[in-house]
């Protein structure tokens, strides 16, 4: 009996030691059943998702509550990203973040608008002191919305530590119903090194995945030799939604021994860009599949790896039989297993890699300069993860800089010297990245110094010079000249630029600056009459919109309001 008590206390203490986050400190930020539209650590474009996306029943305007006592330490309002976002710092050192908000509570909204009107800017970032905007647990602090880079109404909710590192909110007891096993959708094998091969090929191989319909998977037996790595595509689903969300933990075992672990508990924003080293970037760009590599390549600084033997690679010897297993789990320990039976067989008749030799070679540890004609590309050291042959050529004003299948971790510069460039509108020229099947010219942030145009980018691909001589268009959406707007709460105007894109705008009412909110998804500017900038009956509205090369349009009209 004494031994049982000791064992019970031992396992209880071990369980408590592993649970380092308070599970009863934070309450729910919403007063509805929580349903996840996105999970922590989920693979997004060029970053890991840093919080939980909580569904708001396809509605906006739901109450958002402060999840613990604290004070508003930061407010950020932007057209993109989190849109309207609120940061609350708590006495225990953690900070909660609420993003894509429609608006703030009355007190916070007044505080924000006061500063927006003082700075005459919709986009703003504020850092109130610890006494200005106090919050009690359960207090309404905002209303849910769809602002910024949101793809639909939801609340983005984060918990960060005192070093600004986001932590999985589910570790704090956030209640999301989940009894559903993760799903594995793809598996690839990668021959690594000069002698390695899989199924008599040195090219990475997509393996035929077999769903055993019980949460386990297998593949057709494969032959391999040498140093091998694997990668999988996997998703998790919660009980009340069909969203394809991210998983919590991935482990691999080779002949019973743990050789790799990846967990999504916490990361820092400084490392999130290295997601592109975790995934097969080439496959993502060519087939839109995010495969997570179950091995760690050189120059991979991610902190999410644990218990790694030989960086997750396995060594397959000739004339052997071995078993490689993958366990994928969610935070509720629902798991899926993949088993790969491997026959070790060295072959002399193997399919080689394609020859990708070009005249130009990039050493990732060195500065590189590529130039031809009026075009120059400056690549600082450590821009890329690996050395590689790069495809570089210039035809007229079009630069081909490889294909966008190799990730960059730093910005590099592309410059065009316009000395002698014959055009009547040289000041309307910009650098564009050519995208899609039709090489659509997408504005790349262009700076001009004398006759030289420069853009900084992290994306390989095709670039060219483009010209924009057409000013933005301005169209009123819910009013017309001379109209009475006494019963209107909002004034809405559509602004659009089909060339270089909109750079900035400025609206005034009877000569006074007014706060207009720009939603780039609908290309709409909105003014709230409750701001009470004017008490006049007759009102003159003036709006100036400027694009990224300086073309501008002016819209003026008059309306009445009591």
């Amino acid at each position: 009996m004494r031994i049982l008590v000791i064992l019970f206390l031992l396992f209880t203490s071990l369980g408590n030691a592993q649970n380092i986050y308070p599970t009863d400190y934070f309450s729910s930020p919403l007063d509805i059943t929580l349903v996840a539209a996105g999970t922590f650590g989920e693979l997004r474009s060029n970053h890991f998702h840093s919080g939980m996306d909580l569904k708001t029943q396809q509605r906006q305007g739901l109450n958002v509550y402060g999840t613990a006592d604290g004070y508003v330490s930061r407010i950020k309002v932007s057209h993109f990203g989190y849109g309207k976002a609120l940061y609350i710092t708590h006495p225990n050192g953690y900070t909660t973040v609420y993003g894509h908000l429609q608006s703030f509570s009355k007190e916070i909204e007044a505080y924000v608008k006061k500063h927006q009107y003082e700075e005459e800017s919709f986009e703003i970032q504020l850092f109130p002191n610890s006494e200005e905007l106090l919050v009690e647990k359960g207090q309404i602090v905002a209303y849910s919305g769809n602002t910024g880079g949101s793809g639909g109404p939801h609340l983005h909710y984060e918990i960060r530590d005192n070093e600004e590192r986001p932590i999985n909110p589910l570790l704090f007891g956030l209640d999301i119903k989940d009894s559903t096993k993760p799903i594995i959708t793809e598996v690839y094998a990668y021959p690594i090194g000069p002698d390695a091969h899989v199924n008599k090929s040195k090219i990475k191989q997509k393996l035929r995945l077999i769903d055993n319909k019980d949460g386990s998977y297998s593949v057709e037996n494969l032959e391999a030799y040498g140093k091998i790595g694997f990668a999988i595509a996997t998703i998790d689903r919660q009980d009340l939604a069909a969203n394809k969300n991210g998983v919590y933990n991935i482990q691999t075992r080779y002949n019973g021994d743990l050789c790799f672990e990846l967990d999504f508990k916490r990361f820092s924003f400084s490392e999130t860009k290295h997601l592109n080293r975790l995934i097969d970037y080439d496959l993502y760009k060519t087939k839109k599949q995010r495969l997570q590599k179950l091995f760690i390549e050189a120059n991979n600084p991610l902190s999410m790896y644990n218990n790694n033997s030989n960086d997750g690679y396995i060594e397959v010897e000739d004339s052997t039989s071995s078993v490689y297993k993958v366990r994928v789990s969610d935070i509720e320990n629902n798991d899926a297993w993949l088993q790969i039976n491997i026959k070790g067989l060295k072959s002399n008749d193997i399919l080689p890699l394609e020859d990708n030799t070009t005249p130009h070679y990039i050493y990732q540890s060195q500065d590189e300069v590529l130039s031809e004609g009026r075009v120059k590309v400056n690549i600082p050291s450590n821009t890329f993860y690996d050395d590689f042959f790069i495809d570089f050529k210039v035809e007229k004003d079009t630069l081909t800089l490889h294909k966008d299948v190799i990730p960059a971790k730093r910005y590099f510069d592309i410059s065009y010297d316009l000395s002698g460039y014959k055009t009547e509108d040289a000041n309307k020229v910009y650098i564009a990245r050519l995208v899609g099947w039709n090489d659509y010219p997408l504005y790349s942030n262009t700076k001009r110094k004398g006759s030289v145009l420069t853009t900084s980018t992290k994306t390989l691909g095709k670039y060219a010079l483009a010209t924009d001589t057409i000013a933005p268009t301005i169209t009123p959406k819910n009013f017309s000249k001379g109209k009475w707007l006494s019963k209107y709460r909002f004034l809405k105007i559509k602004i659009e630029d089909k060339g270089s894109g909109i750079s900035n705008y400025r609206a005034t009412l009877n000569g006074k600056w007014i706060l207009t909110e720009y939603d780039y998804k609908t290309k709409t500017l909105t003014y709230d009459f409750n701001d009470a900038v004017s008490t006049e009956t007759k009102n003159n509205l003036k709006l100036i919109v400027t694009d990224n090369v300086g073309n501008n349009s002016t819209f003026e009209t008059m309306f009445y309001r009591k």
Side-chain angles (χ1 to χ4, degrees):
M1 182 66 179
R2 183 179 179 183
I3 294 175
L4 291 176
V5 172
I6 292 173
L7 288 173
F8 174 79
L9 292 174
L10 175 63
F11 286 120
T12 301
S13 64
L14 286 173
N16 290 337
Q18 292 175 348
N19 184 18
I20 63 174
Y21 303 107
T23 57
D24 57 358
Y25 188 87
F26 296 105
S27 59
S28 173
L30 299 170
D31 56 11
I32 59 174
T33 300
L34 297 185
V35 180
T39 50
F40 181 85
E42 198 166 279
L43 311 181
R44 301 287 178 89
S45 296
N46 300 312
H47 70 282
F48 296 102
H49 188 226
S50 56
M52 296 290 296
D53 283 344
L54 303 174
K55 288 177 177 285
T56 55
Q57 301 174 340
Q58 299 181 339
R59 296 184 291 157
Q60 299 188 51
L62 273 63
N63 294 341
V64 175
Y65 300 93
T67 55
D69 292 349
Y71 68 94
V72 176
S73 55
R74 181 184 177 194
I75 305 167
K76 186 174 183 181
V77 179
S78 58
H79 296 132
F80 307 101
Y82 290 175
K84 296 180 181 179
L86 193 67
Y87 300 70
I88 300 175
T89 296
H90 306 282
N92 64 352
Y94 293 103
T95 296
T96 50
V97 183
Y98 313 76
H100 305 307
L101 303 170
Q102 181 187 64
S103 59
F104 305 107
S105 65
K106 185 176 180 180
E107 180 186 9
I108 299 172
E109 187 79 10
Y111 179 91
V112 172
K113 283 198 173 184
K114 175 179 178 293
H115 287 276
Q116 287 175 314
Y117 272 95
E118 286 177 353
E119 298 185 21
E120 295 192 354
S121 175
F122 169 74
E123 292 195 303
I124 197 168
Q125 186 163 206
L126 303 169
F127 297 91
N129 65 47
S130 59
E131 304 298 325
E132 287 187 275
L133 296 171
L134 298 178
V135 172
E136 293 183 358
K137 185 174 185 176
Q139 174 184 331
I140 295 175
V141 294
Y143 302 94
S144 67
N146 187 32
T147 57
S150 171
H154 72 276
L155 173 67
H156 174 87
Y157 178 67
E158 288 181 26
I159 301 179
R160 299 182 184 180
D161 66 15
N162 57 10
E163 297 181 42
E164 281 292 298
R165 294 176 298 187
I167 305 169
N168 195 327
L170 295 178
L171 294 169
F172 294 84
L174 196 69
D175 186 19
I176 305 287
K177 302 299 181 186
D178 188 358
S179 60
T180 307
K181 294 177 181 287
I183 300 169
I184 300 173
T185 58
E186 301 281 356
V187 56
Y188 277 70
Y190 294 69
I192 308 294
D195 299 324
H197 51 83
V198 173
N199 292 337
K200 297 184 178 181
S201 175
K202 293 186 68 63
I203 302 170
K204 65 185 177 188
Q205 297 289 301
K206 180 179 179 179
L207 307 180
R208 181 174 176 270
L209 186 67
I210 301 170
D211 184 351
N212 298 321
K213 306 300 182 182
D214 59 356
S216 69
Y217 301 81
S218 56
V219 301
E220 293 181 338
N221 292 351
L222 75 152
E223 298 177 350
Y225 175 78
K227 187 177 182 180
I228 307 297
F230 291 92
I232 61 169
T234 180
I235 61 168
D236 188 33
R237 284 197 170 107
Q238 283 70 44
D239 290 1
L240 302 177
N243 297 68
K244 298 177 181 179
N245 296 330
V247 302
Y248 177 68
N249 182 276
I250 303 175
Q251 296 179 353
T252 70
R253 294 180 179 272
Y254 186 50
N255 293 331
D257 295 327
L258 183 65
C259 58
F260 175 92
E261 182 178 14
L262 173 67
D263 71 58
F264 294 99
K265 292 180 180 177
R266 184 186 70 188
F267 61 84
S268 65
F269 286 108
S270 63
E271 65 180 307
T272 188
K273 62 185 177 183
H274 298 295
L275 168 140
N276 289 330
R277 193 57 163 168
L278 166 66
I279 66 171
D280 185 324
Y281 188 80
D282 184 337
L283 203 63
Y284 169 62
K285 284 296 181 176
T286 54
K287 296 187 178 181
K288 300 304 178 184
Q289 295 177 339
R290 286 194 177 99
L291 251 74
Q292 301 182 58
K293 298 173 185 173
L294 307 181
F295 52 91
I296 307 171
E297 296 169 292
N299 301 313
N300 183 340
L302 291 173
S303 63
M304 302 172 175
Y305 299 112
N306 302 306
N307 304 311
N308 296 300
S309 173
N310 196 30
D311 289 331
Y313 296 105
I314 63 172
E315 294 284 350
V316 180
E317 298 181 358
D318 191 22
S319 303
T320 60
S321 294
S322 52
V323 177
Y324 181 85
K325 290 187 176 183
V326 182
R327 178 181 184 257
V328 182
S329 59
D330 59 31
I331 202 166
E332 297 294 338
N333 268 323
N334 304 301
D335 58 9
W337 285 86
L338 165 65
Q339 178 167 318
I340 302 175
N341 297 320
I342 305 170
K343 180 180 180 181
L345 182 64
K346 185 176 183 179
S347 175
N348 295 319
D349 183 21
I350 59 177
L351 183 67
L353 292 171
E354 296 179 9
D355 183 9
N356 60 0
T357 303
T358 72
H360 304 281
Y361 193 73
I362 298 297
Y363 292 94
Q364 66 89 22
S365 63
Q366 300 178 13
D367 294 342
E368 302 286 348
V369 177
L370 305 171
S371 63
E372 183 176 336
R374 70 173 78 243
V375 180
K376 180 183 291 186
V377 181
N378 286 283
I379 303 174
S381 61
N382 298 311
T383 294
F384 298 101
Y385 294 97
D386 300 305
D387 303 340
F388 66 101
F389 283 102
I390 190 169
D391 183 18
F392 169 79
K393 60 187 176 186
V394 178
E395 296 179 357
K396 296 183 179 179
D397 290 326
T398 299
L399 163 67
T400 298
L401 190 62
H402 213 75
K403 293 181 180 179
D404 182 20
V405 294
I406 296 176
K409 53 183 175 176
R410 296 181 60 186
Y411 286 93
F412 56 91
D413 292 338
I414 298 173
S415 299
Y416 280 78
D417 187 346
L418 299 190
S419 299
Y421 190 77
K422 295 181 180 180
T423 176
E424 296 179 358
D425 300 295
N427 61 331
K428 304 299 183 184
V429 174
Y430 62 94
I431 301 174
R433 183 163 65 92
L434 305 183
V435 299
W437 62 270
N438 60 344
D439 283 345
Y440 179 83
L442 189 66
Y443 176 80
S444 185
N445 189 26
T446 304
K447 295 182 179 179
R448 183 185 299 267
K449 187 175 182 179
S451 62
V452 177
L453 299 183
T454 302
T455 187
S456 294
T457 181
K458 294 171 73 174
T459 306
L460 296 172
K462 293 173 72 174
Y463 291 82
L465 294 178
T467 302
D468 180 8
T469 59
I470 301 174
T473 58
I474 303 173
T475 308
K477 292 185 68 173
N478 67 338
F479 68 98
S480 57
K481 185 175 181 179
K483 189 174 182 179
W484 280 90
L485 303 179
S486 301
K487 296 182 179 180
Y488 282 54
R489 166 76 186 272
F490 300 104
L491 198 67
K492 294 181 180 292
I493 304 172
K494 183 176 182 179
I495 61 175
E496 188 173 9
D497 187 84
K498 296 182 178 180
S500 58
I502 291 170
S503 172
N504 59 73
Y505 58 88
R506 179 180 175 83
T508 58
L509 196 59
N510 299 329
K512 296 180 180 179
W513 183 87
I514 57 173
L515 177 65
T516 48
E517 179 174 343
Y518 178 52
D519 182 354
Y520 74 93
K521 297 188 288 286
T522 60
K523 303 173 183 176
T524 300
L525 279 177
T526 302
Y527 168 65
D528 186 348
F529 281 114
N530 282 357
D531 288 357
V533 171
S534 173
T535 57
E536 303 286 333
T537 301
K538 182 178 179 181
N539 293 273
N540 293 297
L541 174 69
K542 183 176 182 179
L543 173 63
I544 301 174
V545 181
T546 306
D547 66 20
N548 280 298
V549 295
N551 300 306
N552 64 75
S553 295
T554 300
F555 172 81
E556 294 186 77
T557 192
M558 177 268 294
F559 62 86
Y560 297 95
R561 182 176 171 84
K562 288 184 179 179

